Amino acid sequence: MKNSYVINNTIKFSPADNKLFFLNGTADAITLNHPASLCFLELIRKQGEIITQQDFMNEIWHKNGKYVTANTYYQNICLLRKCLKKTGLDENTIVTVPRKGLMLPRSVEIKILPVASADPLNHMEGRLAACSQPEPTVGNAPTEVASPGIKPAAEQAFSDSPGVKPCALIQGTQRKKAMLKFPHAGWKRYKTSFLFTLLFFFDFIITIKVFP
């Protein structure tokens, strides 16, 4: 993307659109053809320097693989002058230096408007990219920085909801209940075996007494 330029606080030149915009908004923008726009951009970039006809042709056409005659160059410079005159700029905005070339005088005030100005779309992408960064980990486990008196986010979310407990708390409660019920559960489990053993013992004693 190319920068835009404010000329003499009157117009804004946008090379990306090949247009001249009126800053006061009193008229529609003036559209340049692409070669004329490139010629004006070259004059702005080399403000105060004399640019020869050959330099223009090399930079605008030959550099891009196009070979044109001097007539094409003159037609585009003439078109550029006419468009600048329509904006109300002085006719001498582009100065002809006899037998040398063209120049944009340093008396012409030019302000650069960078393209990389605040762009809400770029800002949003940056925030999404930052949010998508993975959490710092130690080994395979994500790390959390614990602050005194502050619960982890997941536990806090559960504990703030009435009637809902975190999974860790539920599991801990179940383990405690299992430990408390273990003796009772053990008795139920081994009660049958104990009774059979007791009956076998009594039967054995009776058998000894009856058959000495």
Side-chain angles (χ1 to χ4, degrees), residues 198-211:
L198 188 61
L199 289 174
F200 176 79
F201 178 74
F202 281 114
D203 185 64
F204 178 74
I205 293 174
I206 295 171
T207 301
I208 293 175
K209 288 185 179 182
V210 174
F211 303 101

Short mmCIF file of all heavy atoms in Angstrom, two decimals, residues 198-211:
data_model
loop_
_atom_site.label_atom_id
_atom_site.label_comp_id
_atom_site.label_asym_id
_atom_site.label_seq_id
_atom_site.Cartn_x
_atom_site.Cartn_y
_atom_site.Cartn_z
N LEU A 198 -18.81 -70.40 61.23
CA LEU A 198 -19.28 -70.66 62.58
C LEU A 198 -20.13 -71.94 62.63
O LEU A 198 -20.00 -72.78 63.54
CB LEU A 198 -20.09 -69.46 63.07
CG LEU A 198 -20.51 -69.46 64.54
CD1 LEU A 198 -19.28 -69.47 65.45
CD2 LEU A 198 -21.38 -68.25 64.85
N LEU A 199 -21.01 -72.11 61.63
CA LEU A 199 -21.85 -73.31 61.58
C LEU A 199 -21.00 -74.57 61.40
O LEU A 199 -21.26 -75.61 62.02
CB LEU A 199 -22.87 -73.19 60.44
CG LEU A 199 -23.99 -72.17 60.64
CD1 LEU A 199 -24.83 -72.05 59.37
CD2 LEU A 199 -24.87 -72.58 61.81
N PHE A 200 -19.97 -74.45 60.55
CA PHE A 200 -19.09 -75.61 60.35
C PHE A 200 -18.36 -75.97 61.65
O PHE A 200 -18.21 -77.15 61.97
CB PHE A 200 -18.09 -75.27 59.24
CG PHE A 200 -17.08 -76.36 59.01
CD1 PHE A 200 -17.41 -77.51 58.27
CD2 PHE A 200 -15.80 -76.25 59.56
CE1 PHE A 200 -16.47 -78.50 58.09
CE2 PHE A 200 -14.88 -77.26 59.36
CZ PHE A 200 -15.21 -78.38 58.62
N PHE A 201 -17.98 -74.95 62.42
CA PHE A 201 -17.27 -75.19 63.68
C PHE A 201 -18.17 -75.92 64.67
O PHE A 201 -17.76 -76.91 65.30
CB PHE A 201 -16.78 -73.88 64.25
CG PHE A 201 -16.07 -74.02 65.56
CD1 PHE A 201 -14.77 -74.54 65.62
CD2 PHE A 201 -16.70 -73.64 66.74
CE1 PHE A 201 -14.13 -74.66 66.84
CE2 PHE A 201 -16.05 -73.77 67.95
CZ PHE A 201 -14.77 -74.28 68.01
N PHE A 202 -19.43 -75.45 64.84
CA PHE A 202 -20.37 -76.10 65.75
C PHE A 202 -20.68 -77.52 65.30
O PHE A 202 -20.80 -78.46 66.09
CB PHE A 202 -21.65 -75.29 65.89
CG PHE A 202 -21.51 -74.12 66.80
CD1 PHE A 202 -21.61 -72.82 66.32
CD2 PHE A 202 -21.29 -74.30 68.17
CE1 PHE A 202 -21.48 -71.74 67.17
CE2 PHE A 202 -21.16 -73.21 69.01
CZ PHE A 202 -21.25 -71.92 68.51
N ASP A 203 -20.85 -77.71 64.01
CA ASP A 203 -21.14 -79.05 63.48
C ASP A 203 -19.99 -80.01 63.76
O ASP A 203 -20.19 -81.19 64.07
CB ASP A 203 -21.40 -78.95 61.98
CG ASP A 203 -21.82 -80.29 61.39
OD1 ASP A 203 -22.89 -80.79 61.78
OD2 ASP A 203 -21.06 -80.80 60.54
N PHE A 204 -18.76 -79.47 63.67
CA PHE A 204 -17.57 -80.29 63.93
C PHE A 204 -17.53 -80.72 65.40
O PHE A 204 -17.25 -81.87 65.74
CB PHE A 204 -16.32 -79.49 63.56
CG PHE A 204 -15.06 -80.23 63.85
CD1 PHE A 204 -14.64 -81.30 63.03
CD2 PHE A 204 -14.27 -79.87 64.93
CE1 PHE A 204 -13.47 -81.97 63.32
CE2 PHE A 204 -13.09 -80.57 65.20
CZ PHE A 204 -12.69 -81.61 64.40
N ILE A 205 -17.84 -79.81 66.33
CA ILE A 205 -17.85 -80.12 67.76
C ILE A 205 -18.90 -81.17 68.08
O ILE A 205 -18.67 -82.12 68.81
CB ILE A 205 -18.06 -78.86 68.59
CG1 ILE A 205 -16.85 -77.93 68.43
CG2 ILE A 205 -18.29 -79.20 70.05
CD1 ILE A 205 -17.03 -76.59 69.11
N ILE A 206 -20.10 -80.99 67.51
CA ILE A 206 -21.19 -81.96 67.75
C ILE A 206 -20.81 -83.32 67.24
O ILE A 206 -21.07 -84.38 67.89
CB ILE A 206 -22.50 -81.46 67.12
CG1 ILE A 206 -22.96 -80.18 67.82
CG2 ILE A 206 -23.59 -82.54 67.17
CD1 ILE A 206 -24.11 -79.49 67.15
N THR A 207 -20.17 -83.38 66.10
CA THR A 207 -19.78 -84.65 65.50
C THR A 207 -18.77 -85.39 66.38
O THR A 207 -18.84 -86.61 66.59
CB THR A 207 -19.18 -84.41 64.11
OG1 THR A 207 -20.11 -83.76 63.29
CG2 THR A 207 -18.80 -85.75 63.45
N ILE A 208 -17.86 -84.66 66.99
CA ILE A 208 -16.85 -85.25 67.88
C ILE A 208 -17.52 -85.85 69.12
O ILE A 208 -17.15 -86.95 69.58
CB ILE A 208 -15.79 -84.23 68.26
CG1 ILE A 208 -14.97 -83.84 67.02
CG2 ILE A 208 -14.90 -84.77 69.35
CD1 ILE A 208 -13.99 -82.75 67.29
N LYS A 209 -18.49 -85.12 69.67
CA LYS A 209 -19.16 -85.59 70.90
C LYS A 209 -20.04 -86.78 70.64
O LYS A 209 -20.18 -87.70 71.46
CB LYS A 209 -19.98 -84.45 71.50
CG LYS A 209 -19.11 -83.38 72.14
CD LYS A 209 -19.96 -82.34 72.84
CE LYS A 209 -19.09 -81.29 73.50
NZ LYS A 209 -19.89 -80.27 74.23
N VAL A 210 -20.69 -86.80 69.49
CA VAL A 210 -21.61 -87.91 69.18
C VAL A 210 -20.82 -89.15 68.81
O VAL A 210 -21.16 -90.27 69.19
CB VAL A 210 -22.58 -87.52 68.05
CG1 VAL A 210 -23.44 -88.72 67.62
CG2 VAL A 210 -23.48 -86.36 68.52
N PHE A 211 -19.76 -88.99 68.06
CA PHE A 211 -18.95 -90.12 67.63
C PHE A 211 -17.55 -89.96 68.20
O PHE A 211 -16.64 -89.49 67.50
CB PHE A 211 -18.88 -90.16 66.10
CG PHE A 211 -20.24 -90.24 65.45
CD1 PHE A 211 -20.83 -89.11 64.92
CD2 PHE A 211 -20.92 -91.45 65.38
CE1 PHE A 211 -22.06 -89.17 64.32
CE2 PHE A 211 -22.17 -91.49 64.77
CZ PHE A 211 -22.76 -90.37 64.25
#
